[in-house]
Amino acid sequence: MSDGDAMGERFREFQRQLAERGDPAGPAAGQPASRTERGVREPGSRDWAPQTQRARPGDRGRRNREAINVPPAEFSSYYGRPILKPPVWKHDIAAYLFTGGLAAGSSLIAAGADLTGRPTLRRAARITSLGAVVASTYFLINDLGKPARFHHMLRVAKPTSPMSIGTWILSAFGPAAGVAAVAELGPLLPERGVLGLARRVSSPAGRIAGLAAAATAPALATYTGVLLADTAVPSWHDAYPDLPFLFAGSALVGASGAALIAAPPTETGPVHRLAVAGAAMELVAERRIEHGMGLSSEPYQQGLGGRLTRLSRALLLGGVAGALVGRRSRLLSMLSGAALVGSSLATRFGVFHAGVDSAKDPKYTVVPQRERLERKGSAPGA
Amino acid sequence: MVSAESLFGPIDPAPDAGYVDAPPRMGFFTDTSVCIGCKACEVACKEWNLVPDHGLDLLGMSYDNTGALTANSWRHVAFIEQPRPLGAESPALAGTATGPSGSAHLAERASTPPGVPNTDPGLPPAPHPGPAAAMAASPEFLGMPGTDLPGRQERAGQRTDLRWLMMSDVCKHCTHAACLDVCPTGSLFRTEFGTVVVQEDICNGCGYCISACPYGVIDQRKGDGRAWKCTLCYDRLRDNRVPACAQACPTESIQYGPLDELRERAQRRVERLHADGVPEARLYGHDENDGVGGDGAFFLLLDEPEVYGLPPDPIVTTRDLPDMWRRAGLAALAMAGAAVAAFVGRRSA
Ligand code: SF4
Ligand code: SF4
C-alpha cells in the first residue's frame, strides 16, 4: 500500500481537498490575525481563545443564562487535536442506559403491584422488565469489539471496574426478572398433571423472583452512573455525584411511563406518585449537572447533548402534568406515558452525547486542569 | 482486596499488585531536548511488535504525519515549530530571504479534514480549525508539507529564528492506571516490572479502558475490535533486553532503566539545562505525588505539556471511585424508598 505511487496520489488528493475547500493561497480570513493583534507573547497556540464563545444570539430565550459562569479561557493544544480518545462506545450504550433503567424501574413497579394486588399492572411491568433486560443484554454484547468474547466478563469480579460489577448485577437481575415474567404464563397452563403443578407454583415462584429482581433493581439503575463517571471523560467524571441520581430518577420516569401505557387507570395510582418522585430526582440532579460543573457543564447546554437534555426536560414536564391531569383518561395516560418514556430515552442519549463531545474537544481537558494547577499554585516540574 | 491506598498516592505498583520479590520497577525517561524527530522509535516499535501499518496521510500541520498515539502507533513523535531562538546560537536564518512553505490556511484546512481520513484508525479531527491555524500562523512557520513555493506568499522574507520541539510520546505506564482499574475482563494487567499490558487473547473490546485513560493512549483497533497499546516490550524485558524504541533511538532521547535511576538522571539533566540557560526545561510525569501516582514513562519537556498534546494535570479517575459508589448507593436507596412510598403511601388510590 505504501509505495511511491500511493504517496503521490495522497499528495494530489490533499491538494485537491485544499483547492475544493477554499482559497488556494494565503491565510484564511480572520483566524491568523489573532497572533499579530495580540503580539507574539508565547509560542504555540496560546493566542487562540474561542472559549469565550457565548450561546449564539439566535438561541431562543437562553441567551446569557448559559455559559455565564464559564470563564473565558485561553489554552494551548497540539494543533487543536483532542487529548483524550473519545469513547468508542456506540449508541448501543446510550440505549442500554435507557433499557437497563426501564427494566429496573419496571421490576420495582411489578413487585409493588404484586404486593398490593394490582394484577394488570404487575403483568405489564414484569413483561416490560423482561423485554428491557433482554434488550439490555443485546445492546451490551453488540457494543463489544469482540462480541463472541462476552463471557470474558465473567472471568473476574472487580470492584474497581463498574462494568464488571454491572455485569454481575445484570446476571443476578436478568434471570430473576425472567422467571417473574414467565410465571405470568401460569394461568394458561392446564390444571392437572405435571403442568398443573407448574401452574400452582407459578404464582409464588413469580412473587419470589419478582421480589429478588426488585431487590437488585436499584443497583442496576444506579451503577450506570458510576459506569460513565469512572472515566477520564470530563463531562461524565465531573458529574459523578449526580449521575446516579439522574439515572435513578430517569429509570423511575421511564418505567412509570411504560406502566401508564400498558395498565388501566384503575391500577396506576402509585405509578403517578412514582413518576412525580422520579421527575423530582431527575430535575434536581439535572440542574446540578447542567449548571454546577463550570466548563464541564457546557456540553449539557450546547450541541446535541444540550438539545437532548432540553427535549428530555420538556417531555418530562409535559408527561408528568399530562399524567396527573388525565389520570382518569386512558388515552391521556397513554400519551403522557409515551412522553415519559421518550423523556427517559432523551436523558440517556443527552448524557451520552455531552460526554462524547467533552472528550472530543481539548479545551474541556486542558482548561479545568490548568485552573486546578493555578489554584494549587504550581506548574508541573519547572 | 482493594484498599483506598491502592487507588491513589505514591505506591510501588508491582508489590501492590501482589508480586513477591518483584524486580525493580522499569520505565522510560524520554528527554525531548535531544530528540531529533527521526521516528526510529516509531519504526522499531512497529517492527518488533508487529503493529499493523497505520496508513499514509498528510496531516498538513507539520512533519508529524502520525498524528497521535493510536491502536496502530504505540510511539508517536510530536512535532512543533515555534518562533524562538535557542540559547546563545546565532540566528539560524539570518540572511536567507525565503517565505513560509506552510500557512495558517493550510494547517487549518488539514486539521479538520473532510470525509474519511486516510490513516487507520482515522485520527480524530480537531473540533475547531482555529488552533491549528494559530500554531501555523506565525511568519516563521516552516510547517511541512507545504504546497506553496517558499517566497510566494505575501509574508515572504519575514522569517525569523525558530525552534523545533520534538517529542516521542508513549503509554505512561501509570502507577495508578485507570485503564487497568476499569478493565472488566482482567485483560489489562500489571507486570512484575510495574508496567501495564493488555492480553490480546482476553480483551473483548468493551472499550472501557479507552474512555478511562487520562492521556488518550489506549485505543481500539478498527476491524479487530480489541484495545491495543505499548507493552513496554514485555517480551524483551523478560529476556533482559532493552525495549525496541529505546534500542533504536540514536540520540538516547529515549532512556530505559530502573525508574529510580531514571528519576535521578532526569533531575540532573533538568538542572544542567537550567544552568545552561534553558529555563523552560521541566519534567513531566516524574512526581509520584501527582494525580496518577507518577508515570512509569516520564518526560523532559521544553514547553507546557498541552503544547505536546499532554494533559497538564491528569488525575486517575478511580481516585474518586469510593465516592462514586457511595453516591450510587444513596441514589439506589432513594430509588427504593420512592418505590416503597409510592405503593404504601395511599393504599386507596
Ligand atoms: S497512560 Fe493510559 S493506557 Fe497507559 S497505563 Fe496510563 S491509563 Fe493505561
Ligand atoms: S477493551 Fe479490552 S483491555 Fe480495554 S477494558 Fe475492555 S476488555 Fe479490558
Side-chain angles (χ1 to χ4, degrees):
Chain A
M1 155 175 195
S2 30
D3 55 20
D5 266 4
M7 191 68 207
E9 188 39 50
R10 292 266 186 266
F11 189 67
R12 282 186 290 278
E13 172 61 27
F14 183 72
Q15 284 185 306
R16 252 198 310 279
Q17 285 177 6
L18 286 176
E20 269 168 26
R21 298 184 78 213
D23 38 354
Q31 286 296 354
S34 64
R35 175 179 281 273
T36 37
E37 267 166 26
R38 309 174 59 161
V40 178
R41 241 177 349 127
E42 209 17 289
S45 63
R46 288 241 145 203
D47 293 324
W48 182 71
Q51 287 65 45
T52 37
Q53 54 187 216
R54 292 278 148 81
R56 253 166 282 122
D59 260 358
R60 281 156 298 135
R62 34 191 64 257
R63 266 164 310 248
N64 291 327
R65 228 173 331 130
E66 303 183 336
I68 221 157
N69 49 3
V70 177
E74 291 182 10
F75 72 100
S76 314
S77 68
Y78 187 64
Y79 300 97
R81 303 233 172 205
I83 288 182
L84 301 173
K85 291 274 175 291
V88 294
W89 292 335
K90 297 168 293 219
H91 278 150
D92 289 305
I93 292 298
Y96 162 67
L97 297 176
F98 166 70
T99 54
L102 183 62
S106 295
S107 69
L108 281 175
I109 292 178
D114 189 17
L115 295 176
T116 57
R118 294 180 165 88
T120 323
L121 180 61
R122 181 200 68 209
R123 196 170 312 125
R126 281 184 180 173
I127 291 169
T128 310
S129 182
L130 176 61
V133 82
V134 169
S136 300
T137 313
Y138 164 78
F139 287 132
L140 280 183
I141 296 180
N142 192 50
D143 190 70
L144 295 177
K146 284 243 180 275
R149 289 189 179 176
F150 173 72
H151 61 283
H152 286 197
M153 298 275 190
L154 306 173
R155 295 174 71 237
V156 290
K158 254 173 92 169
T160 60
S161 171
M163 194 180 283
S164 169
I165 300 294
T167 307
W168 289 106
I169 293 174
L170 196 65
S171 314
F173 177 89
V179 169
V182 169
E184 292 295 339
L185 297 175
L188 303 179
L189 295 173
E191 294 193 15
R192 287 165 188 285
V194 188
L195 291 177
L197 186 67
R199 180 188 169 119
R200 255 165 290 135
V201 299
S202 70
S203 172
R207 170 163 294 184
I208 293 171
L211 289 178
T216 23
L220 180 66
T222 52
Y223 98 86
T224 44
V226 184
L227 180 79
L228 294 196
D230 195 22
T231 59
V233 175
S235 293
W236 287 345
H237 180 89
D238 292 352
Y240 82 79
D242 301 305
L243 271 183
F245 287 93
L246 181 70
F247 286 180
S250 174
L252 291 178
V253 166
S256 305
L260 287 179
I261 295 175
T266 47
E267 292 192 7
T268 52
V271 174
H272 289 119
R273 294 196 285 278
L274 206 54
V276 171
M281 257 166 107
E282 180 172 346
L283 287 172
V284 171
E286 194 174 78
R287 174 148 194 97
R288 288 171 47 115
I289 291 174
E290 227 184 311
H291 297 283
M293 311 192 303
L295 193 58
S296 299
S297 284
E298 204 181 79
Y300 293 96
Q301 303 162 354
Q302 299 179 349
L304 189 51
R307 286 200 295 282
L308 285 166
T309 305
R310 288 193 289 276
L311 173 68
S312 111
R313 194 164 36 229
L315 286 171
L316 180 61
L317 295 175
V320 169
L324 293 181
V325 171
R327 59 200 314 163
R328 312 240 176 272
S329 147
R330 187 72 215 264
L331 181 67
L332 254 181
S333 291
M334 288 176 87
L335 284 176
S336 313
L340 293 178
V341 172
S343 160
S344 180
L345 195 63
T347 300
R348 310 314 177 99
F349 276 77
V351 170
F352 182 81
H353 278 287
V356 171
D357 283 355
S358 76
K360 280 185 175 162
D361 190 330
K363 88 172 162 183
Y364 298 112
T365 310
V366 173
V367 174
Q369 293 191 14
R370 264 287 146 218
E371 286 167 2
R372 189 160 69 211
L373 280 177
E374 267 148 34
R375 278 198 303 276
K376 276 193 249 166
S378 68
Chain B
M1 171 182 162
V2 195
S3 62
E5 295 82 66
S6 38
L7 293 177
F8 196 67
I11 53 159
D12 192 357
D16 184 74
Y19 288 98
V20 272
D21 289 338
R25 184 177 181 190
M26 304 303 269
F28 285 132
F29 166 46
T30 305
D31 178 356
T32 69
S33 69
V34 294
C35 177
I36 55 170
C38 70
K39 301 184 175 115
C41 50
E42 283 191 18
V43 177
C45 174
K46 281 206 188 252
E47 292 262 335
W48 179 261
N49 293 302
L50 301 174
V51 180
D53 130 50
H54 63 259
L56 211 46
D57 203 355
L58 296 167
L59 302 185
M61 55 191 194
S62 72
Y63 282 120
D64 170 17
N65 287 313
T66 305
L69 289 172
T70 64
N72 293 350
S73 300
W74 300 354
R75 274 266 176 198
H76 159 234
V77 180
F79 184 99
I80 300 124
E81 182 169 293
Q82 296 176 334
R84 184 197 291 199
L86 254 190
E89 279 172 23
S90 60
L93 293 166
T96 54
T98 46
S101 49
S103 65
H105 148 79
L106 195 82
E108 185 185 280
R109 292 288 185 277
S111 74
T112 52
V116 187
N118 293 320
T119 37
D120 174 31
L123 289 170
H128 314 283
M135 267 185 109
S138 69
E140 309 81 4
F141 187 74
L142 284 181
M144 305 288 171
T147 54
D148 297 312
L149 289 177
R152 222 194 227 169
Q153 292 183 25
E154 77 276 18
R155 288 174 287 127
Q158 292 177 352
R159 243 167 11 180
T160 64
D161 270 1
L162 58 104
R163 68 170 182 171
W164 280 350
L165 300 179
M166 286 149 286
M167 175 237 186
S168 179
D169 197 6
V170 71
C171 168
K172 317 299 178 291
H173 295 277
C174 311
T175 302
H176 298 288
C179 62
L180 188 160
D181 284 344
V182 303
C183 175
T185 64
S187 158
L188 276 154
F189 76 108
R190 181 77 63 182
T191 72
E192 63 271 35
F193 304 102
T195 57
V196 180
V197 175
V198 199
Q199 301 171 77
E200 61 207 52
D201 52 341
I202 304 289
C203 172
N204 66 9
C206 74
Y208 207 176
C209 51
I210 295 158
S211 301
C213 171
Y215 298 95
V217 170
I218 193 164
D219 184 27
Q220 190 173 46
R221 185 172 291 163
K222 303 279 172 311
D224 166 283
R226 288 172 293 179
W228 299 86
K229 73 171 191 73
C230 158
T231 66
L232 217 145
C233 286
Y234 187 40
D235 49 349
R236 295 173 67 99
L237 259 58
R238 284 200 292 184
D239 243 3
N240 264 328
R241 296 170 71 183
V242 174
C245 55
Q247 177 107 41
C249 179
T251 63
E252 293 186 1
S253 169
I254 301 175
Q255 300 174 27
Y256 162 79
L259 199 57
D260 293 342
E261 249 172 62
L262 291 178
R263 283 182 179 151
E264 274 169 37
R265 206 186 298 169
Q267 199 51 48
R268 283 200 302 276
R269 174 70 183 155
V270 90
E271 280 159 17
R272 170 79 199 270
L273 282 170
H274 288 172
D276 285 355
V278 190
E280 67 270 32
R282 77 206 61 198
L283 297 180
Y284 175 83
H286 64 298
D287 181 2
E288 54 180 9
N289 292 309
D290 71 11
V292 297
D295 292 330
F298 66 103
F299 302 83
L300 185 151
L301 304 179
L302 297 175
D303 202 339
E304 307 285 9
E306 56 267 36
V307 171
Y308 298 88
L310 296 167
D313 185 31
I315 291 183
V316 59
T317 178
T318 37
R319 176 192 69 173
D320 300 321
L321 191 58
D323 257 353
M324 293 181 204
W325 284 126
R326 222 166 285 138
R327 294 294 295 182
L330 283 178
L333 284 180
M335 186 178 175
V340 171
F343 279 94
V344 173
R346 270 181 300 160
R347 254 163 207 281
S348 54

